[in-house]
Amino acid sequence: MTVQQQPNSFRTGPDERGHFGIFGGRFVAETLMPLILDLEKAYNEAKADPSFKKEMDSYLAHYVGRPSPLYFAERLTKKFGGAKIYFKREDLNHTGAHKVNNVTGQIMLAQRMGKKRIIAETGAGMHGVATATLCAKFGLPCIVYMGAVDVERQQPNVLRMKMLGAEVRPVTSGSSTLKDAMNEALRDWVTNVSDTFYCIGTVAGPHPYPAMVRDFQCIIGDETRAQMQELEGRLPDSLIACIGGGSNAMGLFHPFLDDRSVEIYGVEAAGHGIPSGQHAASVTGGRPGVLHGNRTYLLMDDDGQITEAHSISAGLDYPGIGPEHAWLGEMGRVKFLSATDEEAVAAFQLCSQLEGIIPALEPAHALARVFDLAPKLPKDHLMVVNLSGRGDKDLASVQAWLEAHKK
Amino acid sequence: MTTRIEKRFADLKSEGRAALVTFVMSGDPDHATSMAIIKALPKAGADVIELGMPFTDPMADGPSIQAAGVRALKAGQTLKKTLAMVRDFRKDDSATPIVLMGYYNPIYIYGVDRFLVDAKEGGVDGLIVVDLPPEEDEELCLPALKAGLNFIRLATPTTDDKRLPAVLNNTSGFVYYVSITGITGSAAPDATKVSAAVQRIKKHTKLPVAVGFGVKNAESARAIAAGADGVVVGSALIDALKKTLDDTGKGGPATVKAVADLVADIARGVRATGKVAPE
């Protein structure tokens, strides 16, 4: 991709029509358009209301358990002998991932709007679990759409959602994964327009979702800035996070976008390798198109038909990416890298064994790139990796992968 | 310049009846059968043909039309082939309007300018692109109008009086009123409510209003036709098509006949009303 002329600030988007450069927008059926306009209005009002923020901060502190620690990964740092590696421990949040930050905000907004029924899509199940959790807390019925393939490979999360009182609806259309779950959630929303709130789990979809989800996740980067200041007395030198839709990455990156000294890396899932065509790296291996309400980088064929993504990680198994990431990539502000299934599994094991932290397969992709970036960097380089979720849900997948790839 | 769509609705109005708008998916279940179906539609009683452009992720469509898209794509349908089918149809029929209906991404990837040239030259009269609301008019709607194609917009029960002017602005040919909130192929609409909604839209526009979503047979078509300028039938035709497919998903002459017979039946319902909605 070509690097465009740099704007004065990377943090002012989107414009009033939801565009980040050519990306974003509101590509939805007319039935949904009035709902999206209502949502935008309600969100803007909530954002301007100090009591909304106060209430949200209280839930984040007492229910989610924030702030999450910024942890110095000492043994991994020693092993690689270069950059000082810090983990932003989103895995320690209630429900075990960063997803709960956004869901807390959206469920509060749903209540403010008087919506009585919550729907969500989920890939790895972490967003589904977070949504089911908040719905249980606030006494709202919750329906989670999940690709049938993901229902199989993320059984522990399916059981968690059911225990929390949510209805999990397996989706068998298309490739039976996250994109199809999102189609089905949109179909539900088109049908149940008056009482239903669609809680989207990532920084994608029609405006205002990408901006709203980003805002709710920015607490990750805001805390990181304050914590690094306290620990090291300065800004980090680099940030790195995995990107499927990209909400954990955007939450970490966005507060630092205008600190030009901070290098930023997004790691996509390369599946069996980019040349194999079986991957989920939409920036590295895709091109701009329109799906799920926004223009962004997508995996597709020459006829504009969306192709199936592949990743060992259900949470990254999506053929698109949030539109703001697409724009930041084109601007050259975020550098896109990728990691294969094999590299992610190796990083999953190494992190577990050296730090006593079992990471989710999603951030294991970011760790895989940390492991080759860190050794080349000086010892005073401060690198923050977003450890976006815990790996309990992935133990069966990793075990199966290791069995299948015994050397 | 009057388009085929405008002429057809004007002619039917003077005949005193509503138009029958039929939706089929191009390339479903295969290229040859689909071509035969399209050619059979006018004779069976279709006044306007809506031709679906298959897409992998049809987020406003129900199971029937989703499955039709999957069958078409599996059989190798592409946007290029859909345009070729319209060119082929135009060899024998220069009067029946053809509206292409689908989602934006395949058009965006084909290239908007090139698509409009090829569509216009091939004999396409109008476009319905589900995921392009008025907020995104610069993408395709405005260039399409400039190229001489009608851009038909959906209005829904959620399109209130405040929003209707925005939806109708830049709409041409006809207005497609989606009679229920929901996906294609959902439950039948309430004819009285539909008629009231059509009247509401007509307060804002002189364009004909066609009603779709939930029309399944002659009876429901007749009820809707009494209060609208056109009746759209889609999922019911696709369900009839699907019933004729063998275990491997192959169609044949029975497939074409099943669709044509249902269109003929529904056409009788539409023609039985003998009046259009009052101005």
Side-chain angles (χ1 to χ4, degrees), chain A residues 304-318:
Chain A
Q305 306 297 338
I306 307 303
T307 51
E308 290 177 22
H310 169 82
S311 170
I312 187 173
S313 144
L316 302 180
D317 204 348
Y318 179 70

Side-chain angles (χ1 to χ4, degrees), chain B residues 31 35 51 77-91 110 118 122 124:
Chain B
H31 189 273
M35 196 65 235
L51 195 52
Q77 191 69 7
T78 60
L79 185 49
K80 204 174 156 189
K81 286 183 184 170
T82 300
L83 291 167
M85 286 172 87
V86 177
R87 271 199 305 277
D88 193 3
F89 175 85
R90 279 279 168 256
K91 286 178 193 158
Y110 192 93
D118 290 356
V124 172

Side-chain angles (χ1 to χ4, degrees), chain A residues 227-272:
Chain A
Q227 289 167 321
M228 192 58 99
Q229 199 66 41
E230 195 173 306
L231 290 166
E232 299 276 359
R234 65 182 182 89
L235 289 176
D237 297 302
S238 60
L239 308 172
I240 185 162
C242 63
I243 301 191
S247 69
N248 89 83
M250 191 57 75
L252 176 63
F253 298 169
H254 199 264
F256 293 98
L257 289 176
D258 286 338
D259 298 293
R260 309 288 168 114
S261 67
V262 181
E263 290 173 52
I264 304 181
Y265 300 96
V267 183
E268 297 189 290
H272 295 166

Side-chain angles (χ1 to χ4, degrees), chain A residues 99 178 202-204 241-249 266-269 280-283 296-297 313-322 325 336 362:
Chain A
K99 294 288 188 188
L178 181 53
T202 192
V203 287
C242 63
I243 301 191
S247 69
N248 89 83
V267 183
E268 297 189 290
S282 34
V283 169
T296 189
Y297 273 80
S313 144
L316 302 180
D317 204 348
Y318 179 70
I321 185 170
H325 282 299
F336 281 87
E362 291 80 14

Side-chain angles (χ1 to χ4, degrees), chain A residues 267-381:
Chain A
V267 183
E268 297 189 290
H272 295 166
I274 305 288
S276 74
Q278 291 186 296
H279 59 80
S282 34
V283 169
T284 311
R287 57 175 162 157
V290 173
L291 180 70
H292 292 155
N294 57 180
R295 175 160 31 226
T296 189
Y297 273 80
L298 299 168
L299 301 180
M300 64 178 102
D301 68 15
D302 291 340
D303 188 43
Q305 306 297 338
I306 307 303
T307 51
E308 290 177 22
H310 169 82
S311 170
I312 187 173
S313 144
L316 302 180
D317 204 348
Y318 179 70
I321 185 170
E324 193 168 9
H325 282 299
W327 177 70
L328 290 168
E330 289 226 324
M331 289 289 139
R333 183 64 188 98
V334 174
K335 291 181 187 69
F336 281 87
L337 308 170
S338 63
T340 61
D341 290 352
E342 185 175 9
E343 292 170 318
V345 169
F348 182 96
Q349 293 172 286
L350 193 62
C351 182
S352 301
Q353 286 155 14
L354 287 189
E355 295 294 344
I357 295 169
I358 301 177
L361 272 172
E362 291 80 14
H365 285 73
L367 288 170
R369 288 289 76 82
V370 168
F371 297 170
D372 47 42
L373 288 169
K376 297 174 198 146
L377 293 164
K379 284 187 172 20
D380 62 351
H381 182 105

